Amino acid sequence: PWLTLKQEGSTLVIINNKLVDGANCSGNIIIPNGVTSIESSAFADCTGLTGITIPDGVTSIGNSAFSGCDNLGSVIIPESVTAIGNSAFANCTGLKSVSLPKQLKKLENWTFIGCTKLTEVTIPDSVTSIGDYAFRDSTGLTKIVIPDSVASIGDSAFDNCDNLIIYGHTGSFAETYAKEHGIQFAAYTFGDSDNSGKVDSTDIFYSMYYVVNVALGIPGGLTQEQIAAADVDGSGKVDSTDVFYMMYYVALHGVGKDVSWEEVLAK
């Protein structure tokens, strides 16, 4: 069925639960529930678009879906999304923040090319590759957290990101890539959720506090970098299992046993 929705002077055209056209939209747009995909170029060059609410249930965002939306300031992509197409947010020069879903498998080519105001990005643990030119010319990008799951990054993924620091674990592909491409690398330590340089009871407290807050539906109180450090079992989230492993690690070190995280996680 063909559905045309008008809201505050803007028009969304939806066919068979696929949003195919929103190019004339302006302001803050709420995509209605029931939409399962945002098709290629649906909002391309929609310079009047300032905000977008994408509902749970959307599973894919097509090629160039939001390319050229230079007044779009932030995007929260729901966890239901598993695929984001090439150039999906290319040249969104006003984009300052983006939240990527934890089921995403790949960051395609040119996804965030030319997003000059984007400063920090955390890649979820589900992602295994970052495409070529993915962040090229995103000149404001200063920090990207890349998990151990990423085993492939395009050679030109971060071209002209001159102030970028890649954060990852020591020995990871991200570290190797950073060194090969002359990009500054900063290692974060498993379990060190307060960034003190060591793992102790304070880290356990911060992690437990985070888990409780999330369970209550309120902000957890940790930065993305701290969350990455606290996710010691690599599950993609911080939960009671991570707290248990941290307690076990601290207890063993407290009685003089210099065990590694690999030994702790193998128990």
Side-chain angles (χ1 to χ4, degrees), residues 186-205:
Y188 59 82
T189 304
F190 277 120
D192 183 17
S193 54
D194 67 348
N195 297 325
S196 68
K198 62 181 179 179
V199 183
D200 55 22
S201 59
T202 304
D203 299 299
I204 296 171
F205 169 78

PDB file of all heavy atoms in Angstrom, residues 186-205:
ATOM      1  N   ALA A 186      45.805   4.896  21.163  1.00  0.00           N
ATOM      2  CA  ALA A 186      45.752   4.901  22.628  1.00  0.00           C
ATOM      3  C   ALA A 186      45.108   3.598  23.094  1.00  0.00           C
ATOM      4  O   ALA A 186      43.991   3.270  22.680  1.00  0.00           O
ATOM      5  CB  ALA A 186      44.959   6.097  23.143  1.00  0.00           C
ATOM      6  N   ALA A 187      45.822   2.866  23.930  1.00  0.00           N
ATOM      7  CA  ALA A 187      45.300   1.598  24.435  1.00  0.00           C
ATOM      8  C   ALA A 187      44.486   1.825  25.700  1.00  0.00           C
ATOM      9  O   ALA A 187      44.853   2.630  26.550  1.00  0.00           O
ATOM     10  CB  ALA A 187      46.448   0.637  24.726  1.00  0.00           C
ATOM     11  N   TYR A 188      43.359   1.128  25.804  1.00  0.00           N
ATOM     12  CA  TYR A 188      42.632   1.141  27.069  1.00  0.00           C
ATOM     13  C   TYR A 188      42.749  -0.243  27.703  1.00  0.00           C
ATOM     14  O   TYR A 188      42.904  -1.248  27.024  1.00  0.00           O
ATOM     15  CB  TYR A 188      41.172   1.569  26.901  1.00  0.00           C
ATOM     16  CG  TYR A 188      40.324   0.734  25.970  1.00  0.00           C
ATOM     17  CD1 TYR A 188      39.743  -0.464  26.387  1.00  0.00           C
ATOM     18  CD2 TYR A 188      40.059   1.166  24.674  1.00  0.00           C
ATOM     19  CE1 TYR A 188      38.946  -1.204  25.547  1.00  0.00           C
ATOM     20  CE2 TYR A 188      39.253   0.437  23.829  1.00  0.00           C
ATOM     21  CZ  TYR A 188      38.699  -0.746  24.264  1.00  0.00           C
ATOM     22  OH  TYR A 188      37.909  -1.490  23.421  1.00  0.00           O
ATOM     23  N   THR A 189      42.711  -0.285  29.016  1.00  0.00           N
ATOM     24  CA  THR A 189      42.995  -1.500  29.765  1.00  0.00           C
ATOM     25  C   THR A 189      41.714  -2.197  30.175  1.00  0.00           C
ATOM     26  O   THR A 189      40.782  -1.578  30.683  1.00  0.00           O
ATOM     27  CB  THR A 189      43.800  -1.159  31.041  1.00  0.00           C
ATOM     28  OG1 THR A 189      44.979  -0.454  30.653  1.00  0.00           O
ATOM     29  CG2 THR A 189      44.176  -2.410  31.805  1.00  0.00           C
ATOM     30  N   PHE A 190      41.657  -3.509  29.960  1.00  0.00           N
ATOM     31  CA  PHE A 190      40.502  -4.289  30.404  1.00  0.00           C
ATOM     32  C   PHE A 190      40.225  -4.021  31.876  1.00  0.00           C
ATOM     33  O   PHE A 190      41.123  -4.081  32.720  1.00  0.00           O
ATOM     34  CB  PHE A 190      40.776  -5.788  30.242  1.00  0.00           C
ATOM     35  CG  PHE A 190      40.534  -6.312  28.854  1.00  0.00           C
ATOM     36  CD1 PHE A 190      41.557  -6.888  28.140  1.00  0.00           C
ATOM     37  CD2 PHE A 190      39.280  -6.232  28.267  1.00  0.00           C
ATOM     38  CE1 PHE A 190      41.352  -7.384  26.862  1.00  0.00           C
ATOM     39  CE2 PHE A 190      39.066  -6.724  26.994  1.00  0.00           C
ATOM     40  CZ  PHE A 190      40.101  -7.294  26.289  1.00  0.00           C
ATOM     41  N   GLY A 191      38.982  -3.717  32.189  1.00  0.00           N
ATOM     42  CA  GLY A 191      38.556  -3.577  33.574  1.00  0.00           C
ATOM     43  C   GLY A 191      38.795  -2.226  34.197  1.00  0.00           C
ATOM     44  O   GLY A 191      38.229  -1.911  35.253  1.00  0.00           O
ATOM     45  N   ASP A 192      39.609  -1.381  33.561  1.00  0.00           N
ATOM     46  CA  ASP A 192      39.946  -0.080  34.152  1.00  0.00           C
ATOM     47  C   ASP A 192      38.868   0.945  33.782  1.00  0.00           C
ATOM     48  O   ASP A 192      39.078   1.846  32.986  1.00  0.00           O
ATOM     49  CB  ASP A 192      41.318   0.371  33.657  1.00  0.00           C
ATOM     50  CG  ASP A 192      41.768   1.680  34.302  1.00  0.00           C
ATOM     51  OD1 ASP A 192      41.185   2.052  35.346  1.00  0.00           O
ATOM     52  OD2 ASP A 192      42.683   2.313  33.763  1.00  0.00           O
ATOM     53  N   SER A 193      37.705   0.821  34.394  1.00  0.00           N
ATOM     54  CA  SER A 193      36.556   1.650  34.015  1.00  0.00           C
ATOM     55  C   SER A 193      36.626   3.075  34.552  1.00  0.00           C
ATOM     56  O   SER A 193      35.828   3.921  34.151  1.00  0.00           O
ATOM     57  CB  SER A 193      35.245   0.992  34.479  1.00  0.00           C
ATOM     58  OG  SER A 193      35.272   0.711  35.863  1.00  0.00           O
ATOM     59  N   ASP A 194      37.572   3.369  35.437  1.00  0.00           N
ATOM     60  CA  ASP A 194      37.713   4.757  35.905  1.00  0.00           C
ATOM     61  C   ASP A 194      38.960   5.428  35.327  1.00  0.00           C
ATOM     62  O   ASP A 194      39.320   6.541  35.719  1.00  0.00           O
ATOM     63  CB  ASP A 194      37.734   4.830  37.435  1.00  0.00           C
ATOM     64  CG  ASP A 194      38.987   4.186  38.050  1.00  0.00           C
ATOM     65  OD1 ASP A 194      39.718   3.494  37.303  1.00  0.00           O
ATOM     66  OD2 ASP A 194      39.205   4.368  39.249  1.00  0.00           O
ATOM     67  N   ASN A 195      39.632   4.730  34.390  1.00  0.00           N
ATOM     68  CA  ASN A 195      40.807   5.287  33.702  1.00  0.00           C
ATOM     69  C   ASN A 195      41.941   5.676  34.653  1.00  0.00           C
ATOM     70  O   ASN A 195      42.670   6.637  34.412  1.00  0.00           O
ATOM     71  CB  ASN A 195      40.416   6.511  32.855  1.00  0.00           C
ATOM     72  CG  ASN A 195      39.459   6.161  31.745  1.00  0.00           C
ATOM     73  OD1 ASN A 195      39.548   5.084  31.170  1.00  0.00           O
ATOM     74  ND2 ASN A 195      38.534   7.057  31.440  1.00  0.00           N
ATOM     75  N   SER A 196      42.117   4.913  35.721  1.00  0.00           N
ATOM     76  CA  SER A 196      43.162   5.237  36.699  1.00  0.00           C
ATOM     77  C   SER A 196      44.502   4.602  36.355  1.00  0.00           C
ATOM     78  O   SER A 196      45.517   4.923  36.966  1.00  0.00           O
ATOM     79  CB  SER A 196      42.730   4.748  38.092  1.00  0.00           C
ATOM     80  OG  SER A 196      42.702   3.331  38.134  1.00  0.00           O
ATOM     81  N   GLY A 197      44.495   3.679  35.407  1.00  0.00           N
ATOM     82  CA  GLY A 197      45.713   2.975  35.048  1.00  0.00           C
ATOM     83  C   GLY A 197      45.871   1.643  35.742  1.00  0.00           C
ATOM     84  O   GLY A 197      46.855   0.938  35.527  1.00  0.00           O
ATOM     85  N   LYS A 198      44.910   1.279  36.595  1.00  0.00           N
ATOM     86  CA  LYS A 198      44.936  -0.017  37.261  1.00  0.00           C
ATOM     87  C   LYS A 198      43.511  -0.502  37.490  1.00  0.00           C
ATOM     88  O   LYS A 198      42.555   0.284  37.422  1.00  0.00           O
ATOM     89  CB  LYS A 198      45.682   0.078  38.601  1.00  0.00           C
ATOM     90  CG  LYS A 198      45.033   1.029  39.587  1.00  0.00           C
ATOM     91  CD  LYS A 198      45.832   1.095  40.892  1.00  0.00           C
ATOM     92  CE  LYS A 198      45.164   2.079  41.879  1.00  0.00           C
ATOM     93  NZ  LYS A 198      45.911   2.138  43.156  1.00  0.00           N
ATOM     94  N   VAL A 199      43.377  -1.784  37.748  1.00  0.00           N
ATOM     95  CA  VAL A 199      42.063  -2.373  38.007  1.00  0.00           C
ATOM     96  C   VAL A 199      41.950  -2.647  39.497  1.00  0.00           C
ATOM     97  O   VAL A 199      42.752  -3.382  40.079  1.00  0.00           O
ATOM     98  CB  VAL A 199      41.873  -3.686  37.216  1.00  0.00           C
ATOM     99  CG1 VAL A 199      40.481  -4.250  37.447  1.00  0.00           C
ATOM    100  CG2 VAL A 199      42.110  -3.444  35.729  1.00  0.00           C
ATOM    101  N   ASP A 200      40.946  -2.017  40.147  1.00  0.00           N
ATOM    102  CA  ASP A 200      40.797  -2.170  41.589  1.00  0.00           C
ATOM    103  C   ASP A 200      39.325  -2.079  41.979  1.00  0.00           C
ATOM    104  O   ASP A 200      38.431  -2.119  41.125  1.00  0.00           O
ATOM    105  CB  ASP A 200      41.633  -1.126  42.334  1.00  0.00           C
ATOM    106  CG  ASP A 200      41.316   0.300  41.891  1.00  0.00           C
ATOM    107  OD1 ASP A 200      40.212   0.534  41.338  1.00  0.00           O
ATOM    108  OD2 ASP A 200      42.168   1.180  42.098  1.00  0.00           O
ATOM    109  N   SER A 201      39.076  -1.954  43.284  1.00  0.00           N
ATOM    110  CA  SER A 201      37.697  -1.943  43.787  1.00  0.00           C
ATOM    111  C   SER A 201      36.891  -0.756  43.271  1.00  0.00           C
ATOM    112  O   SER A 201      35.665  -0.833  43.152  1.00  0.00           O
ATOM    113  CB  SER A 201      37.708  -1.927  45.328  1.00  0.00           C
ATOM    114  OG  SER A 201      38.407  -0.794  45.813  1.00  0.00           O
ATOM    115  N   THR A 202      37.571   0.338  42.945  1.00  0.00           N
ATOM    116  CA  THR A 202      36.863   1.495  42.391  1.00  0.00           C
ATOM    117  C   THR A 202      36.254   1.159  41.033  1.00  0.00           C
ATOM    118  O   THR A 202      35.123   1.557  40.729  1.00  0.00           O
ATOM    119  CB  THR A 202      37.810   2.703  42.249  1.00  0.00           C
ATOM    120  OG1 THR A 202      38.393   2.989  43.514  1.00  0.00           O
ATOM    121  CG2 THR A 202      37.055   3.931  41.765  1.00  0.00           C
ATOM    122  N   ASP A 203      36.969   0.406  40.234  1.00  0.00           N
ATOM    123  CA  ASP A 203      36.443  -0.017  38.936  1.00  0.00           C
ATOM    124  C   ASP A 203      35.224  -0.919  39.111  1.00  0.00           C
ATOM    125  O   ASP A 203      34.253  -0.821  38.349  1.00  0.00           O
ATOM    126  CB  ASP A 203      37.528  -0.757  38.147  1.00  0.00           C
ATOM    127  CG  ASP A 203      38.729   0.122  37.875  1.00  0.00           C
ATOM    128  OD1 ASP A 203      38.561   1.151  37.202  1.00  0.00           O
ATOM    129  OD2 ASP A 203      39.828  -0.207  38.343  1.00  0.00           O
ATOM    130  N   ILE A 204      35.288  -1.795  40.112  1.00  0.00           N
ATOM    131  CA  ILE A 204      34.140  -2.664  40.400  1.00  0.00           C
ATOM    132  C   ILE A 204      32.926  -1.819  40.770  1.00  0.00           C
ATOM    133  O   ILE A 204      31.814  -2.043  40.287  1.00  0.00           O
ATOM    134  CB  ILE A 204      34.477  -3.657  41.529  1.00  0.00           C
ATOM    135  CG1 ILE A 204      35.586  -4.607  41.083  1.00  0.00           C
ATOM    136  CG2 ILE A 204      33.242  -4.448  41.947  1.00  0.00           C
ATOM    137  CD1 ILE A 204      36.135  -5.468  42.203  1.00  0.00           C
ATOM    138  N   PHE A 205      33.136  -0.810  41.617  1.00  0.00           N
ATOM    139  CA  PHE A 205      32.048   0.073  42.030  1.00  0.00           C
ATOM    140  C   PHE A 205      31.420   0.780  40.833  1.00  0.00           C
ATOM    141  O   PHE A 205      30.199   0.798  40.668  1.00  0.00           O
ATOM    142  CB  PHE A 205      32.541   1.110  43.038  1.00  0.00           C
ATOM    143  CG  PHE A 205      31.541   2.211  43.293  1.00  0.00           C
ATOM    144  CD1 PHE A 205      30.445   1.999  44.125  1.00  0.00           C
ATOM    145  CD2 PHE A 205      31.674   3.449  42.674  1.00  0.00           C
ATOM    146  CE1 PHE A 205      29.523   3.008  44.350  1.00  0.00           C
ATOM    147  CE2 PHE A 205      30.752   4.456  42.890  1.00  0.00           C
ATOM    148  CZ  PHE A 205      29.674   4.236  43.729  1.00  0.00           C
TER     149      PHE A 205
END
